[in-house]
Each structure stands twice: as C-alpha cells, then as structure tokens.
Amino acid sequence: MKKFDELLANFSSDKKIRIGVVNASDEVIIQSVFNPKVQKYLDPVLIGPKATIADILEKLGYSATVIDANGEDACAEKGVELVKEGKIDFLMKGHIQTRPFLKAIVNKEKGIAKSGLLSHIALNEIPAYHKLLLTTDGGMVLAPSKEEKKVLIRHGIEVMNKIGVEKPKVGLLAAAEVVNPKVPATIEAQEIMEEFQKEAPDSCFIDGPLSLDLSLSKEVAEIKHYDSPVAGDADIVVGPDITTMNVLGKSLTILAGAKMAGIIMGAQVPIVMTSRGSTEEEKAYSILVAMYCSKG
C-alpha cells in the first residue's frame, strides 16, 4: 500500500473500536475523534471534567461516553484503569501534558507498559516512495542501546504485520553500508542483523548497516551493485538515535510532502500521542493505525 486512504479502505472490524481520550476537555481533541475518516469505526470514551466535555459535545452535536475525572493525574490514572479493566482498546492523549500522561502508563504497580520500552512508530506516506514507510524512533527513545534497537524493530514488525505486511524489510540506518570500527552504530547494525537472521529469520528481511539512499532507492542499489532484498524496498528503517530519526521525519513532511501517522507501542494497548502541531489529517491517520494495532 502506498497511501493512507488505501489503508483506510482496507480496514474492517466486526465491532466498534473503543478509544479512550485522556482529558478530552478540548474542542480540537474531541473533533479529531469524530473525524469523518474514522468516526464510523469508533466508540469514544472521553475522560475528563464531565460538565466541560458535555458542553463541547452539545456544541458540536456529538454524543459519547463521558467518564468524569478532574486534573491531569486523575485523568491519566482513569485511562490506564479502564485499559486494565478491558474497557478501552487504545488510548489517545488529550489536553494533558506528556509527563503525567506517560507517568500513569509506566507506573510499575498500576501501569500498562508491557515490553519494558515504549517506542514511537511513524508510518509515512511519501509521494516519491512506492509504499508506506515505517520509521523509528524519532520521538521517544533518545539513544537506544543495541538491545533497545531490537525492541524498536520488534515493535515496527508488529505494526507492519497488523496492517498486512507479513515479512517486512528492515533497514538499519547508518551513513554508509560499510562497518566502520570508529562508528559504533555500524557495528551494532551488523550484529543486530546477524542476530535477527539467526534468532527470528521468518520475522523479517533485515540488512545493516545501510545508508538511507540504499534503503529506499533501487537505482542507487543498482549503481552500487548492492544485492539485498531490503535495498530500494524497505518497509521499516531504524535509526541510530532520536536526532537522526526526528530530522528524517520532519524532512519527509516539510520538504518531501509526506503525510505521517504516529503511535506509541510497548504498552498493553496502542497509544496515540500526536504533537500540538499535528494536522487534523495526521491525527485521523494516527487513530487509524492505532485501530489496526488494537485488533487481536
């Protein structure tokens, strides 16, 4: 698939997907849940000050389940509690600061983190690329260790599996495709590739270290005589650190006209945590990806 609208057209569910919005006391946030692209699939559970949310729903002409909670900590704790009770299929960050939102999720006693690492997954629709591309991690893990990179890869594979890609092609990014003893990321990339090929060969095709152009351009691969199932056809690219992947992500959207959907993986349910600068379309497509990932 090349476009999010294709992903949307292929979505099906025999029941409504329950989205829990943590502190839904904001008109823009509520509007995003009722976006026409995803509205018919969702059963919104809006957590926050009941009177405020009721006023917004009345103004907009919508109806939804409202769970009363006041204050950011209380809203986040209630959202996590509803997940643990099986009453919500995925969470969305509403009008709440990131810190209290994540604090409730990763709480060791009452939280819902399951993999030991929360990671940011970005799915990108890029005009110049022939299919949707997943990039990680440009939003959560600052400087992933080798073992953390393996978790990032597993989260990425899980998302691609959920949207229908059975054996995704993973490129481990570096400045070049040659292992350089002076560049630790290249050594780690080679080790990760070899370990995945040995431990989970059926989960993905994987290659690294691999430059970005080799990962995404068949022409460059041909010019360099580089033979790999990943070269020029990557489904997933994994970077050495958050700076690299954040710059790549913003370059794609600002300079290459890409559309992006982002979710957090590693908890009991997917989490939508878009930035304040996200467009309505980005919020809707992020919800769409979370809908796919919330299905059993």
Side-chain angles (χ1 to χ4, degrees):
M1 282 177 285
K2 179 176 171 59
K3 295 180 177 293
F4 284 121
D5 284 341
E6 295 175 55
L7 200 63
L8 180 61
N10 287 340
F11 184 81
S12 64
S13 177
D14 56 5
K15 61 180 181 179
K16 295 271 190 175
I17 310 292
R18 300 165 299 178
I19 175 175
V21 184
V22 176
N23 200 11
S25 58
D26 178 84
E27 188 172 319
V28 174
I29 292 296
I30 292 179
Q31 192 76 262
S32 67
V33 176
F34 290 93
N35 187 293
K37 289 182 183 292
V38 295
Q39 179 180 2
K40 67 179 179 178
Y41 301 108
L42 296 176
D43 179 12
V45 178
L46 307 180
I47 303 161
K50 193 167 187 176
T52 301
I53 295 172
D55 287 344
I56 297 172
L57 287 171
E58 183 178 6
K59 176 183 176 181
L60 298 176
Y62 299 134
S63 62
T65 300
V66 180
I67 305 295
D68 192 36
N70 289 282
E72 294 190 339
D73 289 338
C75 288
E77 289 166 6
K78 177 57 70 172
V80 167
E81 179 184 320
L82 292 171
V83 169
K84 296 185 78 171
E85 292 174 353
K87 296 178 180 178
I88 286 176
D89 297 308
F90 70 95
L91 283 176
M92 181 174 181
K93 176 179 174 287
H95 192 60
I96 180 174
Q97 296 295 317
T98 299
R99 185 170 182 177
F101 180 63
L102 292 177
K103 179 183 176 183
I105 290 168
V106 302
N107 184 285
K108 291 184 178 180
E109 295 179 1
K110 299 180 180 180
I112 55 172
K114 68 173 185 178
S115 74
L117 184 73
L118 298 181
S119 71
H120 184 265
I121 297 290
L123 198 61
N124 302 272
E125 175 187 312
I126 308 165
Y129 198 54
H130 59 281
K131 58 182 173 180
L132 295 173
L133 177 70
L134 188 152
T135 59
T136 188
D137 178 329
M140 287 290 291
V141 187
L142 301 182
S145 66
K146 179 181 145 182
E147 289 307 311
E148 287 174 333
K149 287 175 184 175
K150 292 172 74 172
V151 175
L152 301 184
I153 295 166
R154 287 194 286 269
H155 287 172
I157 291 171
E158 181 181 351
V159 173
M160 296 308 287
N161 289 164
K162 290 288 189 180
I163 68 171
V165 181
E166 292 184 7
K167 190 174 180 180
K169 300 175 180 180
V170 181
L172 306 175
L173 295 183
E177 64 277 12
V178 179
V179 174
N180 185 338
K182 295 182 179 180
V183 183
T186 65
I187 299 171
E188 283 191 354
Q190 184 181 48
E191 291 174 349
I192 291 169
M193 175 187 67
E194 292 172 350
E195 288 168 18
F196 261 87
Q197 288 173 339
K198 179 181 179 181
E199 298 165 5
D202 295 328
S203 67
C204 65
F205 298 100
I206 188 166
D207 197 1
L210 204 59
S211 61
L212 181 66
D213 55 350
L214 267 182
S215 299
L216 307 182
S217 171
K218 291 183 182 296
E219 290 84 359
V220 171
E222 289 173 3
I223 290 169
K224 290 189 174 184
H225 303 290
Y226 193 89
D227 185 22
S228 163
V230 179
D233 198 36
D235 296 293
I236 300 171
V237 289
V238 181
D241 54 49
I242 194 172
T243 300
T244 301
M245 301 314 287
N246 191 278
V247 170
L248 173 59
K250 288 184 170 69
S251 297
L252 290 173
T253 55
I254 294 173
L255 300 177
K259 298 176 182 178
M260 190 272 281
I263 64 170
I264 305 298
M265 294 292 287
Q268 290 178 27
V269 295
I271 299 165
V272 176
M273 195 170 75
T274 54
S275 70
R276 287 172 293 177
S278 299
T279 64
E280 281 301 308
E281 189 173 52
E282 182 177 324
K283 291 187 177 83
Y285 288 138
S286 297
I287 290 171
L288 172 62
V289 176
M291 283 161 43
Y292 267 96
C293 292
S294 68
K295 294 176 68 175

